[in-house]
Amino acid sequence: MQAQTADRLQKAQKYLAAGKADRAETICRKLLKSKDGYVDIRLTLSKALLAQDKPDQALKYLSEAANHQPDKLALQSATGDLAFRIKKYAEAIDHYQKAVSLEPSNPDYWYRLSDALFQAATENFKSYLDRGEVTQSGETKPRVDFYDDAIAISNKAIELFSEDVPLLRLAGEILLKAGIEDVAMLCFERCLPLDPFDHIAHYHWLEYKRSKNANQEIVDYAIAQGDRIANDAICNRTVTYAYAQLGRYDKAMEHINRSVELAPKNDKFVTAKAHIYYRLGQFEKSITYSNKALQLNPEATYPHWLNCLSNWKLGNLPEAHKCNPYRFEVADVCTKFNLKSPLWRGESLEDKRIYVWSDQGIGDIFKTTSMLREITPHENVIVAVQDKCMPFIKALFPRIDVRPLPTKLPALSIVSNAFGTKQSRKNEFPSIEEDFDCQIPLGSLIEVLRPEVSDFEGKDKIMILPEEHVAPFRALNILSNPNTTKVGMAWSSKTFGDPEAYGYLELEELLDVLRMPGFEFYNFQYTTKEHEITAFREKHDVPLYHAPGLDLMDDMLETAAFNSCMDLFVGPGSTSSDIAGAVGIKCLRYAPCHYQDNLGQPYVPWFADQKSIDIPWGDDALNYIDVIKQWLLDNKKH
């Protein structure tokens, strides 16, 4: 390098070191035509431009220097890094490829090359979608060919460096983006026992397992990885979810406590803690933590809903009613209409038509049925319910206009709850013609008609079906013995399994009850078919029967009519017990301690005579067999 060029370049470098990047740039630009110091001039100019936040211009001169000296590893790497930073992925790929060729034993250069290919493919795919180039079926699943080069290079890299955690995790992310989930999870899984701890790999693996309901695998992971995830709030949160789904609230509480300690201002973690307290039956503590979550995030909806449930269990209806509307904002709890008509607040309906619509499950329809009598005049009432419930409502209220609910909107959306996010069908009904003046969801009738628990007292709660529906069942041969007490029975639920498993029974566990002399038992377990009951009766020689041809799942009128023939009913907190209660059958109902149907009472206020047993967490319905037997003996009719 000539002395004059060297002196001027040194002067530029001094300006650069002194923070005078613009003056350094001016000098370097004047030196660009010099053949001496080609690389050093461009490196200094590139640094001066970067100091002035001109990365695109800096890359131009850095690339010229790198191309001039293709055997300089640090120069290729630095150029690739700058190109990657400003999303010039093609240029980054070129320089990283040179770096890999110069030092193929360095996994870091393989990582950078793989990442650049990944980002380039992702950008190309985004452009592909922006142009509207989706598949004929309307899918927007990533096209694997966009990611082919990234997949090939990353796979080669992990062949060479089979225990390099960053490479394994990146390969997993590339495969996941390309839609090759199973292989991606193998990459993440290989990261789990390795160092350094890569939280992204752990998160991906945990979320995948959660999406597949592989809760026991997550629990096994937590046991194996306990020390490694001790300081990771999100991993502990996902483990909390798995333990909760398995009904292990003690262990769930341990892990959510850790999450809250690590991230005390995360309202979702605090809400999850409130949810666990609710499931444990510790309702005051649940309310405390729900309120803490609301202090952190006043816009959150799930803590309000938890407050509603907890206040119901405490018998504090006024406070519960304040939060009851939040059920519409919580995923998969209630389906809503976006109606223009105002909400009914209990005013006279003499000159108005009211639309009462079912927003909850089948059991909730039977709980609220008796309250429909209090909405008068009946000629002004429209009731919209699920198809299977329409004949039941019509039989009881011939003057009410009974209509079917429309099918929920089919669109999919991502929704959140206390433990995480998931994909769910849109929780709304489509728009309808509003030929009415006001409206109210069935689940909100309690707010208007039962502001306090005491408002249930003195009300007629027995719904007597017309004899034309009941008589055919009274004539059945299985009911012909006049010397036995007829007991309707259910034992499980459509949702039987963790975490509510402790509140339900298997049919075999009821054999001691079924063998009690002087009783005959009749199936109202809607998940069990007629042929299964027949086979069970013959195998165990017990008096358990199913009404011939009765569809317990979809024929609610006939199910209620058959139920009307019972003397007693025993069942868990499910639709079966609600039907029995609606038609006035004396009932023993048992359920996990967080089930809110009893509104904090030892009986279920919705019904005329339904004793309620709260089974505390850690206990089991099986331990209440003797209670069931004694209740049956105490209430024996024959």
Side-chain angles (χ1 to χ4, degrees), residues 405-425:
L405 284 170
T407 303
K408 282 201 294 185
L409 293 172
L412 293 175
S413 60
I414 300 298
V415 294
S416 299
N417 61 24
F419 293 113
T421 58
K422 64 177 180 178
Q423 196 178 60
S424 175
R425 294 202 173 276

Side-chain angles (χ1 to χ4, degrees), residues 267 270-271 273-275 277-278 282-296 303 306-308 310-311 314:
D267 66 284
V270 177
T271 301
K273 186 169 181 174
H275 195 169
Y277 273 128
Y278 169 69
Q282 298 181 39
F283 306 115
E284 291 90 351
K285 288 183 178 179
S286 179
I287 291 170
T288 296
Y289 279 92
S290 289
N291 288 337
K292 286 182 179 180
L294 289 168
Q295 290 172 2
L296 293 168
L306 280 176
N307 274 347
C308 175
S310 292
N311 276 301
L314 293 170

Side-chain angles (χ1 to χ4, degrees), residues 282-356:
Q282 298 181 39
F283 306 115
E284 291 90 351
K285 288 183 178 179
S286 179
I287 291 170
T288 296
Y289 279 92
S290 289
N291 288 337
K292 286 182 179 180
L294 289 168
Q295 290 172 2
L296 293 168
N297 180 10
E299 302 300 316
T301 57
Y302 204 86
H304 284 294
W305 177 235
L306 280 176
N307 274 347
C308 175
L309 298 176
S310 292
N311 276 301
W312 266 334
K313 285 301 297 187
L314 293 170
N316 187 358
L317 264 60
E319 287 302 311
H321 294 341
K322 292 177 185 177
C323 297
N324 194 24
Y326 282 95
R327 70 192 186 277
F328 293 113
E329 309 305 322
V330 180
D332 297 334
V333 172
C334 295
T335 304
K336 65 180 178 180
F337 272 120
N338 292 311
L339 298 173
K340 297 177 182 178
S341 301
L343 187 67
W344 183 58
R345 298 292 186 182
E347 66 273 16
S348 171
L349 296 172
E350 285 298 332
D351 57 351
K352 294 181 180 178
R353 297 189 82 202
I354 183 173
Y355 184 74
V356 186

Side-chain angles (χ1 to χ4, degrees), residues 40-87:
D40 290 333
I41 291 167
R42 281 156 178 79
L43 285 175
T44 304
L45 177 55
S46 176
K47 291 176 183 177
L49 290 165
L50 281 174
Q52 298 175 78
D53 197 22
K54 300 176 181 178
D56 290 274
Q57 294 181 46
L59 178 61
K60 176 180 182 296
Y61 297 106
L62 192 59
S63 292
E64 288 180 358
N67 291 331
H68 193 76
Q69 291 188 333
D71 60 339
K72 295 295 184 182
L73 179 62
L75 194 51
Q76 300 304 324
S77 174
T79 307
D81 289 347
L82 180 55
F84 187 93
R85 172 185 152 189
I86 62 176
K87 300 183 179 181

Side-chain angles (χ1 to χ4, degrees), residues 470-518:
V470 181
F473 290 103
R474 294 195 198 282
L476 288 174
N477 187 55
I478 57 174
L479 292 173
S480 62
N481 188 343
N483 299 314
T484 59
T485 298
K486 312 297 187 288
V487 182
M489 181 172 283
W491 50 90
S492 185
S493 168
K494 189 176 182 181
T495 57
F496 179 59
D498 300 320
E500 276 85 17
Y502 74 93
Y504 296 108
L505 294 164
E506 300 287 353
L507 184 53
E508 286 78 4
E509 293 172 332
L510 286 161
L511 280 172
D512 279 355
V513 176
L514 297 173
R515 289 178 173 140
M516 292 175 65

